[in-house]
């Protein structure tokens, strides 16, 4: 695809339900990031994938959050037993992840509302 | 360790006034730094990178290795500059670190 694609664009879920958010990075990009952006706030780092290396999960706020990535393609962010404080826009970004000048490209985000 | 610091969460200026958005970084290597912008209801996008030494929409940013800073400047702010601005560091050529962002509000 031409850019980073995220689905769904919007998700409304009931408190306590599990949700799965999807990110399709730019083809060939080995690095993939997930961020959370609460209303009117800045980026909160969640997790970073780089090729086949172990992901950097240091930003995941609790064990209800997990993410997977299949090779160097699609990634899914799963939030179990959602809480109202999980309501936010979840952003995915990808980059070449190798030496040389590069740029991070962002998806349009998934707006999650927990009711 | 926080690698990118943006000390101001919110910066309000009047139209036509100069703007400086502060960014400090922590990195012992040769840094590659960027500014990203997020306009209302749009996705985050690259504004400029220091290696290009370019001016985009009147914005410039100079890398100061002595002060480990990469402040974003514009001599005359416009209302359409109102947005969220993020400073970013590319670490070891393969991992981006983003600051927490500064919301710029340009008042008419």
């Amino acid at each position: 695809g031409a850019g980073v694609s995220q689905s769904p664009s919007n998700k409304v879920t009931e408190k306590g339900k599990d949700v799965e958010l999807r990110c399709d990075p730019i083809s060939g990009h080995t690095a993939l990031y997930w961020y959370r952006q609460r209303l009117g706030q800045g980026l909160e780092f969640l997790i970073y994938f780089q090729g086949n290396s172990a992901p950097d999960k240091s930003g995941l706020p609790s064990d209800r959050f997990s993410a997977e990535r299949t090779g160097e393609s699609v990634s899914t962010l799963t939030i179990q037993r959602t809480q109202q404080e999980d309501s936010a826009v979840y952003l995915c970004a990808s980059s070449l992840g190798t030496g040389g000048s590069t740029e991070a490209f962002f998806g349009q985000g998934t707006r999650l509302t927990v009711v | 360790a926080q690698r990118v610091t943006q000390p101001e969460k919110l910066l309000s200026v009047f139209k036509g006034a100069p703007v400086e958005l502060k960014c400090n970084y922590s990195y012992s290597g040769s840094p590659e730094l960027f500014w990203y912008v997020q306009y209302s209801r749009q996705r985050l996008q690259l504004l400029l990178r220091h290696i290009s030494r370019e001016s985009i929409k009147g914005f410039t940013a100079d890398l100061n290795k002595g002060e480990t800073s990469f402040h974003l400047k514009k001599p005359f702010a416009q209302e359409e500059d109102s947005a969220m601005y993020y400073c970013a560091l590319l670490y070891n050529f393969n991992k981006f670190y983003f600051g927490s962002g500064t919301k710029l509000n340009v008042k008419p």
Side-chain angles (χ1 to χ4, degrees):
Chain A
V4 178
S5 179
Q6 292 186 245
S7 61
S9 299
N10 284 283
K11 176 73 178 178
V12 180
T13 190
E14 291 180 354
K15 178 181 171 181
K17 300 278 191 186
D18 297 352
V19 294
E20 194 172 272
L21 312 180
R22 178 187 169 107
C23 173
D24 282 271
I26 293 173
S27 178
H29 280 192
T30 61
L32 187 146
Y33 308 76
W34 282 99
Y35 296 92
R36 180 169 68 181
Q37 189 175 39
R38 290 197 163 109
L39 184 64
Q41 304 297 312
L43 292 177
E44 291 178 70
F45 167 75
L46 296 177
I47 189 168
Y48 163 69
F49 294 92
Q50 171 56 56
N52 294 318
S53 302
D56 176 359
K57 302 181 181 181
S58 60
L60 295 179
S62 76
D63 59 8
R64 295 187 297 105
F65 287 73
S66 62
E68 299 290 331
R69 187 180 187 193
T70 308
E72 294 182 354
S73 60
V74 171
S75 176
T76 54
L77 176 69
T78 301
I79 308 174
Q80 295 179 308
R81 305 181 302 281
T82 51
Q83 304 294 313
Q84 287 186 326
E85 68 257 26
D86 299 333
S87 296
V89 175
Y90 289 82
L91 292 172
C92 176
S94 71
S95 67
L96 278 174
T98 56
S101 182
T102 186
E103 176 184 339
F105 294 85
F106 283 81
Q108 82 282 10
T110 293
R111 182 176 299 278
L112 175 66
T113 304
V114 182
V115 297
Chain B
Q2 191 153 356
R3 300 198 180 274
V4 180
T5 304
Q6 293 181 249
E8 302 142 328
K9 279 194 169 182
L10 174 66
L11 184 63
S12 287
V13 300
F14 284 102
K15 176 183 172 181
V19 168
E20 182 178 70
L21 299 167
K22 292 185 167 50
C23 171
N24 288 90
Y25 66 91
S26 173
Y27 182 46
S28 57
S30 186
E32 191 164 348
L33 290 149
F34 304 75
W35 276 98
Y36 278 75
V37 60
Q38 188 177 30
Y39 300 105
S40 181
R41 298 189 181 87
Q42 294 186 28
R43 67 176 69 191
L44 261 161
Q45 58 189 286
L46 179 67
L47 178 63
L48 57 80
R49 67 182 88 196
H50 91 272
I51 60 169
S52 301
R53 296 186 173 276
E54 54 197 347
S55 172
I56 304 293
K57 299 184 178 183
F59 284 98
T60 58
D62 291 319
L63 175 61
N64 185 324
K65 291 187 179 180
E67 295 183 357
T68 59
S69 68
F70 187 57
H71 303 329
L72 183 69
K73 300 177 184 179
K74 184 168 182 176
F76 307 104
Q78 303 299 314
E79 288 181 69
E80 56 265 30
D81 296 328
S82 293
M84 195 77 167
Y85 290 81
Y86 294 94
C87 181
L89 166 72
L90 181 61
Y91 180 78
N92 276 355
F93 299 109
N94 67 13
K95 184 176 180 181
F96 278 90
Y97 285 87
F98 282 82
S100 52
T102 298
K103 185 173 183 178
L104 175 64
N105 179 33
V106 181
K107 297 177 282 188

